[in-house]
Amino acid sequence: LDEVLGNTIIIVDEVDDLVVNENPNAHYAKVDAERTPDLRKSFAALKNGAIGMPRGVLNESIWDEARMAVRECEKQVEGKDYRIIERNGKRVAVILVNGAIPKVELTRPWLSYLNYKLGALEPVAESPFATVCTPYVFNKYRGIFGLSGSVGGQAELTYLAATYGALKFEVPRFLDTCTGDARKVVVNHGVELVTGEAALIARVVQLCLKHVRRVPVLVITSGPDELSKVCQATRHCDGIVADEVQRFSLFDENGASLKDQWETLIADATKRLGGTTSNRCRVTVTDRFGGRGHDYQVMDKDAIKNGGMLVIATSVPDEREWIQWRGRTARQDRPGQFHVVLNRNAEPFSTHSGLASQLEGITSPDQRLARLLEVADENIGTTLKKYERDQELGEMVNELTEAYFQRYPRSFDEAWPSSQYKSEDVKLRGLFEKLQKTKGATVKEVQKMAKEKLGIDEVGQEQGWQLADLWRRRKQGEISSLVGSGD
């Protein structure tokens, strides 16, 4: 990586989304050629109601893992733990994280069995073969020039400075450099609390009905489940044309990808419809997916005169994300407006006792919003703090992984474990699996696992390095070059 990235400066748009939003470590798995035959036989037997280990299964531990996978599969809840999507004409289950499909999809044995039951995929055993730590990889670049309209609060700035040595500077917008007051304001119509999901949906529909004849409406819901309910309720509202309520999301109600329609949905979201006496706009219902990175251009003169696109939000994220949501309106320096409707029985009120009463004591909508953003940013700080140890260990294991595959190179498409380095690959697989089972492992524990699984002692022999070198302060890539140079 040092040779490939060390002389490269990367320019990244929405850089905050790339380096901050998720767990810094991604643990990658591959189809395990050694274990898959036994797993397939075990799943087939269990699907047919077998109790004892079937003939032909050579590894009893695989049979035990298959039985555990079936039990785990029965506990999973659709819409909470996984969702069904359409992929290549088949219904496929994918794991959800916080109600959404993560950028890097996750895998579990129970998911393999579930997809086998659905008839979507042939079951395969998968085992870990590499760990990629985002800060480790991006710090390999000579430099990162990141662009973003919303870097975030103090917790995120501190994280970026500590992890990447990042410096923040602001470039003024064009109109901010002009004399006069050309910039259009974004109007906060209210931050209100209701009790229960039904009341929240009813209030959102009421606001859509109130504004849809005057301006385009964009509803940003808290997740896919709420998105579907709001979309359905809005379509059933008298006074709103059902076919003019758009669902803008990764997938439709049946799990089929909407990717081919995204461009059209964005363009249609701001168009005015009807004639002189019945002119109206559309309601577009989305979730976090539609809250950032999409350019809703309001060109209609009447809509601009009436205040621009109305954004209705049913949750308040951290400040960095909120700036993106608010930025869906008032684009191209046109006017904008938003309205926030929150369920007092949901987050953040369910975990912050007294917050609802505190907000009700604040009369200013802007001050209410400011308090909610403070709470969200406090949670971001806690999350980033939680990731500190994960990141530290991830950087260590990422470098160890890089060094390992430098020493034992192969094509990515080669079977795992490989025939050429099978004994070594099995040891690395064992190390990763032990790390996964040992949550919150310390540095010494990782050292011990590496010694037991890979046979790497604290005193290096032919490699010319010590395991302790993996955890001392060092220059990027130093250990990789040392390990890679061993013959």
Side-chain angles (χ1 to χ4, degrees):
L1 286 179
D2 294 280
E3 293 180 5
V4 176
L5 306 181
N7 294 317
T8 302
I9 295 176
I10 184 173
I11 301 174
V12 184
D13 192 17
E14 302 294 358
V15 67
D16 61 298
D17 187 41
L18 181 65
V19 298
V20 172
N21 271 19
E22 298 180 349
N23 189 312
N25 302 324
H27 306 288
Y28 289 89
K30 288 188 73 172
V31 174
D32 194 308
E34 184 181 53
R35 295 174 173 175
T36 291
D38 278 354
L39 184 76
R40 286 180 175 173
K41 293 172 185 175
S42 298
F43 276 173
L46 290 165
K47 186 179 178 183
N48 292 324
I51 298 176
M53 187 172 75
R55 292 181 180 179
V57 175
L58 304 178
N59 190 332
E60 188 174 353
S61 65
I62 301 298
W63 167 248
D64 292 337
E65 289 175 9
R67 291 195 299 169
M68 184 179 298
V70 172
R71 289 195 294 269
E72 286 296 311
C73 182
E74 293 171 351
K75 298 177 184 177
Q76 307 308 311
V77 179
E78 184 176 355
K80 176 185 176 184
D81 303 304
Y82 70 93
R83 69 172 300 177
I84 305 294
I85 65 172
E86 185 179 309
R87 182 174 290 167
N88 298 324
K90 295 182 178 180
R91 297 175 70 248
V92 179
V94 292
I95 292 176
L96 297 177
V97 176
N98 297 325
I101 301 173
K103 292 179 181 177
V104 179
E105 291 185 13
L106 303 182
T107 182
R108 295 288 187 276
W110 65 260
L111 183 69
S112 182
Y113 182 72
L114 176 57
N115 279 315
Y116 173 54
K117 283 205 311 177
L118 291 171
L121 301 171
E122 188 73 15
V124 292
E126 295 172 300
S127 60
F129 81 103
T131 290
V132 175
C133 176
T134 299
Y136 174 83
V137 173
F138 279 90
N139 274 319
K140 292 283 190 179
Y141 286 97
R142 189 173 184 84
I144 301 175
F145 185 80
L147 305 170
S148 178
S150 53
V151 175
Q154 188 56 50
E156 290 157 312
L157 289 173
T158 301
Y159 169 85
L160 288 170
T163 303
Y164 299 96
L167 298 175
K168 171 193 174 185
F169 63 93
E170 295 188 14
V171 178
R173 298 181 182 182
F174 172 72
L175 288 180
D176 292 337
T177 67
C178 301
T179 57
D181 187 19
R183 178 169 295 284
K184 304 300 182 182
V185 297
V186 180
V187 178
N188 181 349
H189 286 297
V191 178
E192 58 183 273
L193 278 62
V194 298
T195 303
E197 182 183 57
L200 181 141
I201 293 173
R203 179 58 176 150
V204 168
V205 173
Q206 185 183 46
L207 289 171
C208 290
L209 179 61
K210 177 181 177 180
H211 291 275
V212 73
R213 293 192 176 277
R214 303 177 72 247
V215 296
V217 178
L218 176 69
V219 182
I220 304 178
T221 61
S222 62
D225 183 56
E226 185 177 279
L227 187 161
S228 296
K229 292 177 181 178
V230 169
C231 203
Q232 183 178 26
T234 308
R235 286 171 176 165
H236 283 84
C237 173
D238 291 337
I240 298 178
V241 180
D243 291 341
E244 295 169 5
V245 177
Q246 299 188 135
R247 178 191 177 105
F248 182 42
S249 56
L250 285 169
F251 306 96
D252 67 12
E253 295 89 340
N254 299 315
S257 174
L258 290 174
K259 186 175 182 178
D260 293 340
Q261 301 177 38
W262 291 344
E263 188 174 337
T264 301
L265 290 169
I266 293 170
D268 288 348
T270 56
K271 291 179 180 177
R272 185 168 289 276
L273 306 166
T276 305
T277 58
S278 63
N279 71 88
R280 59 199 180 276
C281 299
R282 282 189 172 89
V283 175
T284 301
V285 186
T286 187
D287 53 15
R288 283 176 175 259
F289 164 75
R292 69 149 56 213
H294 305 292
D295 191 7
Y296 304 96
Q297 297 191 32
V298 179
M299 309 298 289
D300 178 69
K301 292 181 180 180
D302 288 338
I304 293 172
K305 183 177 66 176
N306 293 329
M309 172 178 269
L310 172 69
V311 171
I312 302 173
T314 63
S315 64
V316 176
D318 59 89
E319 183 177 2
R320 177 168 48 86
E321 193 73 13
W322 172 254
I323 291 172
Q324 292 285 345
W325 289 14
R326 193 183 68 170
R328 295 318 95 199
T329 187
R331 301 189 69 77
Q332 297 87 38
D333 295 306
R334 296 186 177 91
Q337 50 194 330
F338 67 88
H339 199 125
V340 179
V341 183
L342 304 174
N343 178 3
R344 68 174 67 246
N345 295 335
E347 291 287 352
F349 308 105
S350 57
T351 54
H352 290 76
S353 178
L355 178 60
S357 299
Q358 185 183 86
L359 287 182
E360 289 171 337
I362 301 173
T363 56
S364 166
D366 289 335
Q367 290 180 10
R368 283 189 173 191
L369 180 61
R371 177 61 187 128
L372 287 164
L373 290 172
E374 284 179 5
V375 172
D377 284 341
E378 289 170 6
N379 293 338
I380 284 290
T382 302
T383 299
L384 292 176
K385 189 73 175 176
K386 182 185 70 174
Y387 285 156
E388 278 185 5
R389 171 175 280 186
D390 292 340
Q391 180 174 314
E392 182 183 8
L393 291 174
E395 289 176 341
M396 300 170 191
V397 179
N398 194 155
E399 186 156 4
L400 180 60
T401 302
E402 183 186 355
Y404 179 86
F405 285 107
Q406 276 187 309
R407 187 165 182 80
Y408 304 110
R410 79 287 303 277
S411 164
F412 179 80
D413 295 326
E414 190 170 336
W416 170 259
S418 72
S419 56
Q420 185 177 2
Y421 305 117
K422 184 173 181 178
S423 60
E424 291 82 4
D425 286 358
V426 168
K427 292 175 184 177
L428 182 66
R429 180 181 68 186
L431 171 62
F432 282 135
E433 290 178 335
K434 194 165 184 180
L435 279 171
Q436 289 180 352
K437 293 177 181 178
T438 311
K439 295 182 179 180
T442 65
V443 169
K444 288 186 177 180
E445 288 170 340
V446 175
Q447 289 176 317
K448 182 180 178 182
M449 293 177 202
K451 178 180 178 180
E452 292 175 349
K453 295 295 183 182
L454 296 179
I456 300 176
D457 207 338
E458 288 191 352
V459 179
Q461 296 177 4
E462 61 177 354
Q463 292 93 341
W465 58 280
Q466 297 181 351
L467 184 64
D469 289 337
L470 284 173
W471 292 279
R472 68 175 171 81
R473 292 289 179 186
R474 60 195 183 280
K475 296 179 181 178
Q476 285 285 356
E478 183 179 340
I479 297 305
S480 296
S481 61
L482 285 171
V483 177
S485 64
D487 296 320

